[in-house]
Amino acid sequence: MSDSVIGGPHEGGAARSDDGVPGPGQNGGIPRGPAQAAPRPPIAHAVRDAVMAALVSVVLFVPLVGLRTDVSPGSGLIIRTRWADVAILVGLVFVGRLVLNLWQDQRPARRAPTARRTETLRRIGTFVAPLLLGFAIVLPFLPGTSRYVLDLGILVLTYVMLGWGLNIVVGLAGLLDLGYVAFYAVGAYAYALLSTNFGLSFWICLPLAGIMAAFWGVILGFPVLRLRGDYLAIVTLAFGEIIRVVLINWVSLTGGPNGISGIPRPSFFGLNFTAGGGPGSFADFFGLEPSPTHRVVFLYYLILVLALLTNWVTLRLRRQPLGRAWEALREDEIACRALGINVTNTKLTAFAIGAMFGGFAGAFFATRQAFVSPESFTFIESAIILAIVVLGGLGSQLGVALAALVMIGGFEAFRDLEEYRMLVFGGAMVAIMVWRPRGLVSTRTPSIALGKRRAISGDLVGEGQG
């Protein structure tokens, strides 16, 4: 009997009826019942995977932890071994990987977040954001707030501002940028050179630094218009390294590895912050006891205002046609072109505006430190800023702020662990990405909607490969 007979096998081995439509439960047809769950891997597979992870950790920890150079009394270098520490770390990796495999094997299937749960998380966020803002405003006046706490707050707010700036490029437009520290460096050196060579004040140099950083953002945007994914990441990474190498080698302009020192501090409407007070100082004008804390508090509120300005501008732009074009580009570039959106202008504006806020943060960094050098703008800074955006949740303003608070503030809490704090930092990042793969805040609120705006799950939002 030939294959054309009713019920006979066709290509692919599936029996078909006389009309050529697969029957229920057959290939291409409607299944009779729920799909069968994939068979769970045996325990031997979990153990084998944990052993492989332990072997990889041995290769990493032997040179990083097991071997350490110390200075001997005779001004020479000696190698000190720490095999016990390596064994403990490898054992922790093995146990952690095994537990993770077993947990993923035994846990029930992950259910899609319901609309009620998403709406509940959105309402919680509406209360968390004002509480964080109120705490940031009153922090300098809280009892027990020391100089160290204020300096840490300035550092956290600086990374919050950088995260919000990069969130425009990565979270809204979907363009993976690994060289964001380049715009941070351009803003810092622009302020340093303008203030030291031309005697311009901070308030004049701040917008100029942002404009110059935005210009370099456009310069970066043109070569990467046709690149996506890994290729885009490689080019942006190279751009960041090019800026750093130029800062090191252009000694006549940037000072080379020695950097630029003696950068002027900002003033409060012409009132300087001097430790000894005196005529024309902030303490003398307001009748206060001279204290170096006044300048720190002023810098704290200055970076707070700059960060809030970044957040406000970003939220306003998201509701404008430009912001909606960014999100359309993130979801699907081909569909974005089909809608008649100018993809070139959309990408360039994302790079330029994100770079502008990076330049503002760089100018603040320069005036706060009164010194800049190329070693402050390495790739690790770009990696930290990108990690803040990803861990917080791509496109989420509140998530970026929470991630900066956890990563920068929490990182300082483990300073006493010395070199082991990097291991704690990496382990925490792995745990967050396993627990919350879409970031700390995975809900999204549409920029524009017909009728009532409702938050949606981050699983329904594209992350972009720009």
Side-chain angles (χ1 to χ4, degrees), residues 381-406:
E381 294 295 323
S382 288
I384 291 175
I385 301 169
L386 181 62
I388 288 174
V389 175
V390 174
L391 295 180
L394 293 175
S396 173
Q397 300 293 95
L398 176 60
V400 170
L402 292 175
L405 181 62
V406 172

Side-chain angles (χ1 to χ4, degrees), residues 73-299:
S75 299
L77 293 178
I78 59 175
I79 298 179
R80 182 162 59 91
T81 59
R82 297 182 293 182
W83 304 124
D85 295 343
V86 173
I88 293 174
L89 293 174
V90 172
L92 290 176
V93 170
F94 174 80
V95 173
R97 186 63 182 178
L98 180 61
V99 171
L100 178 62
N101 288 335
L102 296 177
W103 174 69
Q104 290 180 340
D105 179 31
Q106 299 298 327
R107 69 174 180 175
R110 184 171 178 264
R111 295 180 299 175
T114 61
R116 178 179 299 178
R117 175 188 170 191
T118 303
E119 184 66 18
T120 301
L121 293 175
R122 186 193 68 81
R123 291 180 179 179
I124 293 175
T126 58
F127 290 103
V128 172
L131 288 177
L132 288 177
L133 177 59
F135 176 77
I137 293 175
V138 302
L139 177 62
F141 303 101
L142 293 178
T145 301
S146 61
R147 170 72 180 271
Y148 171 77
V149 174
L150 289 176
D151 287 333
L152 181 59
I154 293 173
L155 183 63
V156 171
L157 288 174
T158 303
Y159 278 95
V160 168
M161 182 177 179
L162 289 170
W164 281 339
L166 183 60
N167 197 31
I168 295 175
V169 183
V170 179
L172 298 185
L175 304 171
L176 184 57
D177 188 356
L178 293 181
Y180 192 70
V181 72
F183 311 122
Y184 188 38
V186 168
Y189 270 87
Y191 171 70
L193 293 173
L194 291 174
S195 60
T196 55
N197 295 330
F198 300 98
L200 300 179
S201 66
F202 172 79
W203 304 107
I204 297 177
C205 295
L206 180 64
L208 295 178
I211 292 173
M212 189 165 294
F215 171 76
W216 281 102
V218 174
I219 295 297
L220 170 64
F222 274 110
V224 301
L225 287 175
R226 298 181 180 273
L227 300 179
R228 299 182 185 180
D230 300 337
Y231 302 100
L232 174 63
I234 293 172
V235 173
T236 55
L237 171 62
F239 180 79
E241 286 300 302
I242 289 172
I243 294 295
R244 188 181 65 85
V245 171
V246 169
L247 294 178
I248 293 176
N249 291 279
W250 199 348
V251 180
S252 60
L253 179 67
T254 65
N258 297 326
I260 302 174
S261 59
I263 301 174
R265 304 281 191 177
S267 61
F268 181 76
F269 294 99
L271 301 176
N272 297 319
F273 295 90
T274 56
S281 65
F282 178 84
D284 178 71
F285 183 83
F286 289 97
L288 302 175
E289 185 70 21
S291 174
T293 308
H294 295 160
R295 180 179 60 83
V296 181
V297 173
F298 172 69
L299 291 175

Side-chain angles (χ1 to χ4, degrees), residues 10-22:
H10 287 253
E11 183 180 357
R16 298 178 182 270
S17 59
D18 56 349
D19 58 357
V21 180

Side-chain angles (χ1 to χ4, degrees), residues 41-85:
I43 297 180
H45 174 77
V47 174
R48 183 165 58 251
D49 185 70
V51 170
M52 293 300 298
L55 293 177
V56 173
S57 66
V58 169
V59 177
L60 294 176
F61 290 144
V62 165
L64 295 178
V65 179
L67 302 176
R68 180 172 180 176
T69 57
D70 289 333
V71 180
S72 65
S75 299
L77 293 178
I78 59 175
I79 298 179
R80 182 162 59 91
T81 59
R82 297 182 293 182
W83 304 124
D85 295 343

Side-chain angles (χ1 to χ4, degrees), residues 325-389:
W326 288 341
E327 294 182 330
L329 177 67
R330 176 193 64 199
E331 298 297 326
D332 193 326
E333 182 176 343
I334 297 177
C336 185
R337 291 179 183 273
L339 290 173
I341 298 175
N342 191 323
V343 176
T344 300
N345 292 344
T346 303
K347 289 185 177 182
L348 292 180
T349 52
F351 276 112
I353 296 177
M356 179 184 66
F357 291 120
F360 288 159
F364 173 81
F365 173 80
T367 192
R368 180 204 172 199
Q369 299 292 118
F371 171 76
V372 290
S373 64
E375 64 183 11
S376 299
F377 309 103
T378 57
F379 168 71
I380 189 63
E381 294 295 323
S382 288
I384 291 175
I385 301 169
L386 181 62
I388 288 174
V389 175

